[in-house]
Amino acid sequence: MQQAVKGTGKMQKYFDLVIIGGGIVGTALAREMKLRFPSLTMAILEKEHSVGTHQTGHNSGVVHAGIYYKPGSLKARLCVSGMKKSYKYFDEKGIPYKKCGKLIVATEEKQIEKLDTLHSNSLQNGLTSVRMLHGNEIKEVEPYCKGLKALHSPETGIVDWGMVAESYSRDFESAGGTIIPYFDVIGIIENNDTPKKSYNFPVRIVGRTNSNIYAKYVCTCGGLYADKLAMMTGCSPNPVIVPVRGEYLKLSYKKQHLVNGNIYPVPDPRLPFLGVHFTPRMDGSIWVGPNAVLAFRREGYRWWDIKFSELKETLFSRSFQKLAFKYFAFGTSEMLKSIVIGLQVKELQKFIPDITAKDISRGPTGVRAQALDINGEFLDDFYFDTAKTGVLAERVMHCRNAPSPAATSSLAIAEHLAVELETRFRLKRIVSNNEKKVSKKST
């Protein structure tokens, strides 16, 4: 079914299922769907040269344990499950990682109540290895760190999530899937083309180079362009995606010995960000940050990366305007810290007093797809949407928000999404002989 057609001189291909977006969620989902439905032809469309180029390849590389999330919530279940699945997957594939642990440190009395809540949450989420440390106990884990109390998570680790996405994509290809790079989607429309074969593939995906992909079913996992892809099929512009750039600092080589594992502050419950933290990397370097500032384009990794059409859309969005009004002081502070990196030193010294302004330098950046609802509130849960017009309504699903920690949860998210697709698209799964035997025993 995966066949080139030359009718117009352009390459055209036909697939049962197409995943748009080759980030960590898109590649994990494609892998899961191909394992569940091996007889279906599938493709990943990725606008860059390779998978995992944007959010996946620009994050801190942390494997989260599931401490922050409300017990019983979908995010809590998927994170804890995803962490366990991730470590198992890394071992099976030989992907290097480190369980370097994590401290969430309270440096002020007013933070202790929130820290106790996080401890309770982690225990309810099944993280029995998490324990509370008092005073000098902190130095048993992080000798140079100070604090009143700290929550220690030994299961938290680090990995290169870009490498993981590449591994997912190799699994997908090995199972018979196809990855099509440099395919920038500019339209998802009902197929009215005349070739007889195309009638069985009612969705036409139009690429910027005037190429077409035909599909029976489509799922978009577009990250920074999730809302744009959804709007192509008649969906509401809300939730809108606002690009938030996170700028990391790097700790000097001479001071890397001050940090063993991840060191985090107690988070502000009003914000979706975890605060400026110390993160060791697989190459031995230590990242500090990130901050959170508005990016001037959806893939704007530097201050001078500006796309005026995208910036205008953001600034004139009612969701963003309400957010900016509510968090004006916070936003201004973050911008100042971005310009004058020395302003962050006082925050860092709350945890490790031996750090000075000379010990930090500018590091890498990433851009986060922050989904906002119509009231300017941060969307902190999964949001799925379906096309609103004609036959597309039964054929196209959009993953418009896969909130952090999406990388850690990727394998669990993929299973969750696979069930969504199977139900919504009424896909028939081929059950293996082993599954049949298990089913008979259970009945």
Side-chain angles (χ1 to χ4, degrees):
M1 204 171 294
Q2 188 177 314
Q3 180 180 347
V5 176
K6 289 187 176 180
T8 61
K10 299 291 183 180
M11 184 66 72
Q12 299 173 338
K13 294 186 178 181
Y14 298 84
F15 296 94
D16 294 315
L17 174 66
V18 170
I19 309 295
I20 299 177
I24 195 78
V25 173
T27 53
L29 174 60
R31 172 186 177 274
E32 180 67 25
M33 290 298 290
K34 192 60 183 170
L35 293 176
R36 286 178 179 241
F37 304 96
S39 64
L40 300 184
T41 56
M42 300 185 193
I44 296 173
L45 304 186
E46 169 54 50
K47 71 184 181 70
E48 305 294 354
H49 68 284
S50 61
V51 301
T53 302
H54 290 291
Q55 291 185 98
T56 301
H58 288 81
N59 61 37
S60 61
V62 176
V63 183
H64 292 281
I67 293 172
Y68 300 101
Y69 316 116
K70 183 179 178 181
S73 67
L74 184 60
K75 283 184 72 172
R77 295 200 307 272
L78 293 181
C79 184
V80 175
S81 173
M83 174 194 65
K84 294 175 181 177
K85 291 177 185 297
S86 291
Y87 283 134
K88 182 181 178 183
Y89 182 83
F90 302 159
D91 287 334
E92 290 174 351
K93 299 294 181 177
I95 296 173
Y97 67 93
K98 296 178 184 177
K99 280 190 181 181
C100 55
K102 173 180 181 175
L103 284 183
I104 303 175
V105 184
T107 58
E108 302 174 17
E109 287 286 347
K110 64 182 180 180
Q111 297 173 332
I112 291 178
E113 183 179 354
K114 175 62 178 174
L115 194 66
D116 289 335
T117 300
L118 291 178
H119 190 200
S120 176
N121 285 353
S122 60
L123 294 177
Q124 292 180 67
N125 289 338
L127 304 175
T128 55
S129 62
V130 172
R131 63 191 180 103
M132 189 69 77
L133 305 180
H134 302 265
N136 288 333
E137 290 180 315
I138 294 173
K139 294 191 178 298
E140 295 175 9
V141 179
E142 291 286 353
Y144 298 93
C145 180
K146 71 172 188 177
L148 302 178
K149 290 178 73 174
L151 201 58
H152 180 222
S153 167
E155 292 297 302
T156 300
I158 55 173
V159 74
D160 182 338
W161 285 113
M163 183 183 295
V164 177
E166 290 174 2
S167 182
Y168 290 165
S169 68
R170 285 195 297 271
D171 292 345
F172 175 65
E173 288 183 301
S174 296
T178 299
I179 298 177
I180 304 176
Y182 299 113
F183 196 101
D184 189 4
V185 175
I186 60 171
I188 306 171
I189 60 178
E190 188 172 340
N191 175 29
N192 293 315
D193 283 5
T194 54
K196 186 175 181 181
K197 181 172 182 173
S198 70
Y199 291 150
N200 295 322
F201 299 84
V203 184
R204 181 156 68 98
I205 306 166
V206 183
R208 188 170 298 280
T209 57
N210 204 27
S211 54
N212 294 300
I213 296 291
Y214 295 97
K216 289 183 179 178
Y217 302 101
V218 175
C219 182
T220 71
C221 300
L224 286 159
Y225 287 92
D227 54 348
K228 294 296 185 184
L229 289 168
M231 290 167 65
M232 290 177 188
T233 63
C235 294
S236 166
N238 293 303
V240 65
I241 296 295
V242 170
V244 178
R245 185 171 66 253
E247 300 167 329
Y248 286 93
L249 303 175
K250 293 185 74 172
L251 195 60
S252 68
Y253 177 78
K254 292 181 179 179
K255 293 295 180 76
Q256 287 178 6
H257 68 279
L258 299 178
V259 180
N260 290 330
N262 296 281
I263 303 175
Y264 278 62
V266 177
D268 185 336
R270 298 170 301 170
L271 299 168
F273 314 112
L274 298 179
V276 172
H277 46 269
F278 297 85
T279 303
R281 299 284 293 178
M282 290 300 296
D283 63 1
S285 62
I286 305 293
W287 289 8
V288 182
N291 61 357
V293 297
L294 176 67
F296 296 156
R297 63 178 299 168
R298 298 207 178 203
E299 294 163 358
Y301 296 100
R302 299 164 298 182
W303 276 102
W304 54 90
D305 287 339
I306 302 173
K307 189 172 183 178
F308 289 105
S309 59
E310 292 183 351
L311 179 59
K312 180 180 177 182
E313 284 179 349
T314 298
L315 295 178
F316 281 85
S317 163
R318 291 293 295 164
S319 297
F320 173 75
Q321 290 173 356
K322 291 177 181 179
L323 175 78
F325 179 78
K326 191 181 306 182
Y327 296 110
F328 179 78
F330 172 79
T332 302
S333 173
E334 291 294 286
M335 291 184 73
L336 286 173
K337 289 177 183 177
S338 171
I339 297 169
V340 185
I341 62 175
L343 295 175
Q344 299 191 46
V345 174
K346 287 186 178 180
E347 290 297 315
L348 305 178
Q349 289 174 335
K350 290 180 181 179
F351 305 96
I352 301 182
D354 293 343
I355 291 177
T356 68
K358 295 180 180 179
D359 298 323
I360 58 174
S361 59
R362 294 192 184 276
T365 62
V367 181
R368 174 176 177 166
Q370 185 61 60
L372 301 180
D373 67 17
I374 198 168
N375 296 313
E377 298 290 340
F378 296 110
L379 201 65
D380 196 38
D381 208 347
F382 293 94
Y383 188 93
F384 305 116
D385 209 350
T386 52
K388 305 304 181 187
T389 58
V391 71
L392 298 185
E394 298 178 354
R395 301 281 177 162
V396 182
M397 189 179 90
H398 304 285
C399 179
R400 297 189 63 165
N401 191 43
S404 177
T408 300
S409 309
S410 56
L411 290 173
I413 290 173
E415 290 185 355
H416 181 81
L417 277 173
V419 173
E420 271 301 314
L421 293 177
E422 186 173 354
T423 303
R424 293 192 186 209
F425 295 160
R426 300 180 182 88
L427 299 177
K428 293 182 179 180
R429 185 178 174 189
I430 298 176
V431 181
S432 68
N433 290 330
N434 288 335
E435 288 176 308
K436 289 177 182 177
K437 290 177 183 178
V438 171
S439 178
K440 285 180 180 179
K441 286 181 180 180
S442 64
T443 55

